[in-house]
Amino acid sequence: MSETTKTTSASDKKLLIIDGHSMAFRAFYALPAENFATSTGQHTNAVHGFVSMLLTMIRQQKPTHVAVAFDLDTPTFRSLEYTEYKGGRNKTPEEFYGQIDLIAQVMKAMNIPSITLESFEADDILATMATRGEEAGFEVLVVSGDRDAFQLITDRTLVLYPKKGISDIPPMDAEAVETKYFVRPERYSDLAALVGETADNLPGVPGVGPKTAAKWLNLYGDLDGILENAESIKGKVGESLRAHVDNVTRNRRLNQLRHDLELPVSLEETELVAPNREEIENLFDALEFNTLRKRLFDLFAADEDEEQPEAAVFERLEAKDAGALGDFIAAGQGAPIAVQLAVTAAEAVGVALFREGKAIWLELAGLDEDSEKVLADFLADAQAPKIFHDAKLAKHRLIERGFNVAGLGDDTLISAYLIQPDRRSHELVDLVQYHLKYTVPVLKPAKKGELDLGLTADLAEPTLAQAQAIFDLSAFLAIKVAEKHAAQLAAEMELPLIDVLFDMERAGIAVSRERLDELNAHFTGQVEQATKEAYESIGHEVNLSSPKQLQVVLFEELDLPKTKKIKTGFTTDAESLQDLLVKTQHPFLVALMAYREAIKLRQTVEGLLKSIGDDGRIHTTYAQTVAATGRLSSLNPNLQNIPIRSEEGRRIRDVFIVGEGYETLLTVDYSQIEMRIMAHLSGDEGLIEAYESGEDLHRYVGSHVFGVSPAEVSSEMRSKVKAMSYGLAYGLSSFGLSKQLKISVDEARTLMKDYFARFGAVRTYLRAVVDQARKDGYTETIFGRRRYLPELNSSDRRLRDIAERAALNAPIQGSAADLLKVAMLKISQRLREGSYKSRMLLQVHDELVLEISAGELDAVQELVTHEMSQAADLLVPLDVQPGIGKSWHEAEH
DNA sequence: AGTGTAGCAA
DNA sequence: ACGTTGCTACACTG
């Protein structure tokens, strides 16, 4: 944060003059409108971006005078001369309305004059102001997104022209214009007249681009020179020029900016003075700008007090010795400290610590022994609260460096997830932009082929800024979390779970590379066999993995009946292939289906082989903030979708084995967890009775739906009610049920009717869930986890239906997820307190896999089954099923 | 690099 | 249009 402060003598005057509309538009398109709105619905993205841009410019360029020029809605001398001027532009987006006026209000509060002039454009005001400024001996900076401004460039006037968005606005000088357009700025308008300007609806000479125009200008001096010599220009372009002379002269007249206007504001009145604090406060309250307010006041406060380095929002320390670090930590007096790591090549190389107003940066490579000890003690101190963004990842990076972490005060990743579980990204940069409305610097990972120099010194500044952002975000989100009643969930479930998941990920699960290799060979053989048969059956080769090529084979060459339509034609999915097989008996289909099954399994096996770690184990990563319902997800590799349903696929579970030093694997899973939760939430007497009777659930339900005794429930009847029961939790329709069971819609409807006649409270409950969610805006699990579903009130039928099904499912799936999380926390705690060596390895939504140490099986099995079945007190018992074996397959039951 | 299709799990 | 929540692989497209 050590920006060099240019010393400017008092006599140096600098005028910053801004094209208000064009910059507001840039800001509008640079920032997503949906992220910037007040609670009353007024969009503020253009206002926010504009003010942010202005503050940055004032900070960087240090102008002594500032003014903003705006266009008026009334006609200008240009539109009067040429009615199509600036025609054909898209309509102003609705979200932009009112934002210009708000910007003008902010300018007023900042004591920056807004200049408008009847029948002239902002560009003419810029030109006039620039000329006045130059005459008075000012340096001039013109900020505009309109290229016409380039004609204003001189040795004393620069144009700041945004490349894209509002953060990248490099100054253009004469050199820059010449490099880009091959002419000096004073000839730019001539060039533009020849080329034309699409944005202003000013066609030029067809066939003439900047290159040709520049060539002519350099040849004939200026536009008049070209027009005088128009007859002597040869070829198609010469012809084109002669045919469009009118365009050119008109363009030139219109793009000539006026330098001589009578302006309502004098140069002296544009002097930059302190803002009107009260007005800013009121305005920013209404606009709900909080970080901008701080930036604004910091900026002007820094101006008043030369002592304070204005760019530094916080005081930055560099840990040169253990004393400095120790003092920094001690001075915090136990208040939370934000911790952010700088990581290169998956390795932590630096640490930024932030507490209120102060930050410290440590390079891990350069740490002396004493400092390392101070840092290690701080990180491992359970009484020293630390704030991370993604604590689990940080813990992995730190333990690899020999640092243990305890005392987790907050994790902004978790907080952000709990208040917006449907959000797809919870990356720090996005969250800071979204919630705090400022931009935090990110470290771009080196691209492929680029050398990752990993200059640690360059990491300091962005990492410190990130640590500050985490600190700010934690405070901000804590309020939101409390407002949304998620504080208890965070403190008692999600934050403690981080440590449990960290341990599971670090443990990993042992695999047999030998068995994986065997399976790989086995499935590869099947793939080859199926491929061969497929090719033979159609007489040529085809990429069996390409749905597009398969469509050609199936529906054109073989002319098989058409399947369900998809975006790219007709589906070739497994279900449709099966239908086609029944209809046509074509041998290609048999081979293709065999190919699909075998290659899928081989991919799974290959993926597992690639993820075996140096310790011979596979370490998945659990994502705690991805599934909107509260479930975990597993990635790199995904161990929550290892095949089990097909006999062939199931063999893959045999490669997951008990590790060395352990005796056996133990799996424990909930039986019918979601149906039990449905019974509990609905309070349906019939379902509760079913579970208490000890009878097989689907048999029991079937006997009531079909009016027969349990013994008389046929397997067909049983599978129907089973599909029905499970479908309910997903918002299944009679159409969907009929499709799944391959029965008529009428029959499906009858089935549902009969079902609800016996288990009516289920229907009542499901309807109530959606009603409540529509009213309150969210669904809730047994443990109070919320999922927000604003689209329940959408006018778009499709979106509303999707939201309704999500609403039906979220409390059920989410409560099941909560239950297992509670159980995992208890199990982890009891394993630790009992000093067991046995440990949890995997979680698969309703199942836990543990690795059991010699002699601990009975106790641990008892402990696990107990904690799982007692995770909550429901209206129905929670039944759990243990299994034991040397492999995951064996332990399955 | 992003999109679409497909298929595996709970 | 018609059952939820995920992850990964591949082909194909810009």
Side-chain angles (χ1 to χ4, degrees):
Chain A
M1 295 277 146
S2 58
E3 185 166 302
T4 48
T5 311
K6 266 194 223 151
T7 43
T8 46
S9 71
S11 65
D12 284 338
K13 290 189 173 169
K14 198 189 235 183
L15 169 66
L16 183 72
I17 170 98
I18 300 169
D19 183 338
H21 266 112
S22 96
M23 293 314 292
F25 256 112
R26 291 283 180 161
F28 178 78
Y29 286 111
L31 303 175
E34 65 270 22
N35 289 358
F36 293 87
T38 64
S39 38
T40 58
Q42 168 67 50
H43 287 94
T44 57
N45 58 327
V47 186
H48 195 282
F50 186 96
V51 175
S52 171
M53 181 267 310
L54 177 62
L55 294 179
T56 305
M57 296 221 169
I58 293 175
R59 181 166 62 77
Q60 289 178 347
Q61 304 294 342
K62 304 183 182 22
T64 55
H65 295 66
V66 180
V68 182
F70 287 102
D71 297 321
L72 291 173
D73 287 334
T74 49
T76 66
F77 76 94
R78 291 187 181 86
S79 62
L80 291 173
E81 163 166 358
Y82 177 53
T83 47
E84 289 86 19
Y85 184 65
K86 296 196 176 176
R89 287 194 176 181
N90 288 334
K91 215 175 104 227
T92 310
E94 204 175 306
E95 292 86 354
F96 191 70
Y97 287 148
Q99 295 204 51
I100 287 291
D101 186 50
L102 289 171
I103 291 172
Q105 287 182 42
V106 177
M107 292 307 103
K108 183 167 170 294
M110 287 179 75
N111 289 318
I112 292 174
S114 297
I115 314 177
T116 58
L117 198 60
E118 198 73 33
S119 89
F120 290 95
E121 288 180 79
D123 276 347
D124 300 303
I125 300 171
L126 300 184
T128 302
M129 286 300 288
T131 304
R132 296 261 176 85
E134 283 204 21
E135 285 166 0
F138 281 52
E139 270 187 75
V140 180
L141 287 167
V142 175
V143 186
S144 174
D146 189 333
R147 281 189 290 265
D148 282 334
F150 291 159
Q151 62 184 276
L152 303 175
I153 294 174
T154 67
D155 55 347
R156 301 205 54 113
T157 299
L158 298 184
V159 168
L160 297 170
Y161 180 75
K163 262 194 182 155
K164 57 171 189 187
I166 46 158
S167 47
D168 187 15
I169 310 185
M172 296 281 283
D173 57 9
E175 239 83 328
V177 170
E178 208 167 348
T179 312
K180 200 154 177 221
Y181 299 101
F182 314 105
V183 294
R184 305 284 301 168
E186 54 269 30
R187 292 277 75 80
Y188 179 81
S189 307
D190 291 348
L191 178 133
L194 289 161
V195 175
E197 179 60 80
T198 331
D200 294 340
N201 199 25
L202 293 174
V205 181
V208 172
K211 288 232 169 127
T212 310
K215 193 179 75 184
W216 291 345
L217 284 166
N218 290 320
L219 201 59
Y220 301 107
D222 58 13
L223 189 59
D224 290 340
I226 294 172
L227 295 178
E228 278 164 27
N229 293 289
E231 293 305 322
S232 58
I233 296 176
K234 296 195 188 69
K236 270 246 156 64
V237 278
E239 224 169 86
S240 183
L241 170 65
R242 290 186 287 279
H244 296 92
V245 168
D246 286 353
N247 272 2
V248 176
T249 51
R250 179 207 59 213
N251 290 354
R252 190 62 186 85
R253 241 182 355 265
L254 292 177
N255 72 19
Q256 176 65 49
L257 300 181
R258 294 280 298 270
H259 292 251
D260 53 357
L261 304 176
E262 280 286 318
L263 296 184
V265 173
S266 72
L267 201 52
E268 290 70 37
E269 288 170 285
T270 69
E271 183 168 6
L272 188 60
V273 295
N276 182 327
R277 197 171 184 106
E278 204 186 320
E279 269 186 58
I280 290 284
E281 294 281 10
N282 290 337
L283 200 47
F284 282 21
D285 278 347
L287 293 169
E288 298 169 22
F289 289 173
N290 294 313
T291 49
L292 267 189
R293 177 187 337 231
K294 187 174 181 318
R295 272 179 63 195
L296 193 153
F297 289 135
D298 282 352
L299 180 62
F300 285 94
D303 258 9
E304 286 160 16
D305 182 7
E306 288 292 324
E307 298 289 283
Q308 207 169 3
E310 65 196 81
V313 184
F314 52 84
E315 185 186 346
R316 174 186 159 180
L317 306 170
E318 194 101 26
K320 299 278 188 242
D321 55 63
L325 178 58
D327 289 348
F328 176 87
I329 293 164
Q333 299 187 319
I337 293 180
V339 184
Q340 173 73 338
L341 306 182
V343 175
T344 55
E347 205 176 324
V349 293
V351 183
L353 304 181
F354 185 96
R355 60 174 166 75
E356 191 61 61
K358 273 200 169 55
I360 193 164
W361 166 252
L362 309 103
E363 282 185 24
L364 289 176
L367 277 194
D368 61 72
E369 217 172 289
D370 290 345
S371 308
E372 178 140 348
K373 171 99 173 54
V374 173
L375 178 63
D377 287 348
F378 164 67
L379 290 172
D381 183 355
Q383 302 310 314
K386 285 157 286 280
I387 307 168
F388 291 89
H389 181 79
D390 198 347
K392 179 155 63 64
L393 184 63
K395 280 179 64 130
H396 282 297
R397 294 292 165 261
L398 285 166
I399 197 119
E400 287 154 13
R401 280 274 186 170
F403 296 106
N404 273 303
V405 179
L408 178 59
D410 193 13
D411 186 335
T412 49
L413 176 63
I414 301 287
S415 322
Y417 166 70
L418 288 174
I419 62 170
Q420 288 182 300
D422 274 270
R423 204 187 160 97
R424 52 231 92 58
S425 158
H426 293 98
E427 277 181 38
L428 181 63
V429 203
D430 300 339
L431 293 175
V432 171
Q433 189 66 252
Y434 181 83
H435 291 295
L436 305 180
K437 319 274 195 236
Y438 69 85
T439 307
V440 67
V442 272
L443 301 157
K444 285 175 213 123
K447 281 188 193 134
K448 260 191 208 159
E450 253 175 59
L451 201 56
D452 188 351
L453 296 171
L455 294 174
T456 318
D458 296 343
L459 305 178
E461 205 170 311
T463 311
L464 283 160
Q466 288 164 15
Q468 181 186 20
I470 292 168
F471 189 87
D472 292 347
L473 202 53
S474 172
F476 181 91
L477 293 178
I479 296 165
K480 297 274 178 194
V481 164
E483 281 172 3
K484 291 175 181 281
H485 295 92
Q488 194 182 0
L489 211 54
E492 294 175 17
M493 196 183 295
E494 300 297 351
L495 291 177
L497 191 67
I498 290 172
D499 288 329
V500 176
L501 296 176
F502 169 78
D503 288 338
M504 290 166 66
E505 293 175 4
R506 201 162 156 71
I509 184 166
V511 289
S512 162
R513 187 184 286 273
E514 220 182 303
R515 288 185 198 174
L516 275 169
D517 285 333
E518 281 169 24
L519 282 177
N520 196 14
H522 174 72
F523 292 133
T524 299
Q526 291 188 347
V527 168
E528 284 165 358
Q529 177 65 25
T531 307
K532 193 167 137 262
E533 286 168 10
Y535 293 170
E536 279 168 5
S537 70
I538 55 170
H540 65 89
E541 299 194 352
V542 61
N543 185 343
L544 296 173
S545 292
S546 164
K548 200 179 163 208
Q549 295 183 34
L550 287 176
Q551 284 175 16
V552 175
V553 171
L554 293 175
F555 309 118
E556 291 176 27
E557 285 178 32
L558 301 180
D559 204 26
L560 300 183
K562 301 287 189 287
T563 56
K564 195 178 69 183
K565 265 211 151 107
I566 54 173
K567 283 182 187 166
T568 56
F570 300 94
T571 182
T572 68
D573 68 13
E575 194 193 335
S576 304
L577 293 182
Q578 182 60 46
D579 285 349
L580 285 182
L581 181 62
V582 171
K583 284 183 192 155
T584 69
Q585 298 296 317
H586 201 288
F588 177 74
L589 296 169
V590 179
L592 176 56
M593 289 163 82
Y595 170 86
R596 282 260 177 88
E597 189 185 351
I599 199 146
K600 176 78 187 175
L601 295 173
R602 192 185 66 177
Q603 279 165 4
T604 305
V605 168
E606 277 181 339
L608 292 175
L609 273 167
K610 279 185 218 151
S611 27
I612 301 177
D614 296 338
D615 54 358
R617 300 171 72 97
I618 291 179
H619 303 264
T620 186
T621 300
Y622 289 102
Q624 204 179 342
T625 59
V626 169
T629 52
R631 271 191 179 184
L632 299 176
S633 77
S634 156
L635 67 160
N636 293 323
N638 183 355
L639 295 186
Q640 289 178 326
N641 71 342
I642 301 303
I644 190 167
R645 288 170 194 177
S646 81
E647 204 48 56
E648 279 288 283
R650 201 176 199 141
R651 295 171 61 183
I652 298 177
R653 295 205 169 211
D654 246 333
V655 311
F656 295 89
I657 54 178
V658 60
E660 221 168 294
Y662 289 83
E663 193 173 55
T664 185
L665 291 180
L666 167 69
T667 71
V668 186
D669 68 55
Y670 282 114
S671 84
Q672 297 164 340
I673 182 74
E674 296 194 339
M675 279 312 295
R676 288 172 198 262
I677 288 166
M678 172 96 91
H680 171 80
L681 290 173
S682 68
D684 187 283
E685 298 287 347
L687 277 185
I688 294 169
E689 163 62 26
Y691 279 116
E692 278 169 359
S693 73
E695 178 71 75
D696 169 273
L697 174 79
H698 305 303
R699 188 164 292 280
Y700 179 98
V701 172
S703 79
H704 282 80
V705 169
F706 294 107
V708 298
S709 75
E712 290 168 322
V713 174
S714 67
S715 64
E716 200 184 346
M717 290 154 84
R718 186 178 181 281
S719 67
K720 279 183 180 169
V721 296
K722 185 177 172 184
M724 170 86 206
S725 293
Y726 277 101
L728 288 175
Y730 302 137
L732 188 70
S733 64
S734 52
F735 177 89
L737 184 63
S738 74
K739 210 178 74 156
Q740 193 192 324
L741 295 175
K742 299 192 193 306
I743 57 178
S744 72
V745 178
D746 268 352
E747 203 179 330
R749 211 171 277 141
T750 308
L751 181 62
M752 289 180 98
K753 204 177 108 255
D754 293 346
Y755 191 103
F756 287 134
R758 285 292 178 169
F759 305 96
V762 173
R763 176 163 55 187
T764 310
Y765 160 73
L766 291 171
R767 284 179 180 164
V769 165
V770 177
D771 285 348
Q772 176 271 327
R774 203 188 310 282
K775 183 166 69 73
D776 297 339
Y778 58 86
T779 62
E780 213 163 11
T781 67
I782 296 173
F783 289 82
R785 179 189 305 275
R786 294 181 181 179
R787 179 175 181 185
Y788 295 87
L789 295 162
E791 295 189 325
L792 284 175
N793 289 307
S794 169
S795 54
D796 183 335
R797 168 77 183 277
R798 198 182 59 87
L799 294 179
R800 204 170 60 237
D801 284 351
I802 291 172
E804 281 185 13
R805 295 194 296 270
L808 289 172
N809 178 250
I812 298 169
Q813 190 183 111
S815 296
D818 291 346
L819 279 179
L820 201 53
K821 283 180 175 177
V822 167
M824 288 168 74
L825 288 168
K826 284 278 185 58
I827 291 164
S828 164
Q829 185 193 349
R830 285 190 58 188
L831 287 175
R832 189 171 51 250
E833 285 171 0
S835 298
Y836 291 100
K837 198 184 157 214
S838 302
R839 53 191 182 168
M840 265 184 283
L841 302 183
L842 304 178
Q843 190 257 37
V844 194
H845 308 308
D846 67 356
E847 169 187 10
L848 292 177
V849 179
L850 292 96
E851 198 166 39
I852 304 299
S853 185
E856 296 182 356
L857 178 61
D858 289 349
V860 173
Q861 181 175 324
E862 158 59 26
L863 178 167
V864 174
T865 52
H866 179 263
E867 295 304 340
M868 283 176 71
S869 51
Q870 300 304 312
D873 189 17
L874 305 189
L875 298 174
V876 291
L878 285 175
D879 192 25
V880 299
Q881 308 267 350
I884 301 145
K886 294 283 184 194
S887 76
W888 195 2
H889 181 196
E890 257 185 60
E892 215 71 61
H893 21 262

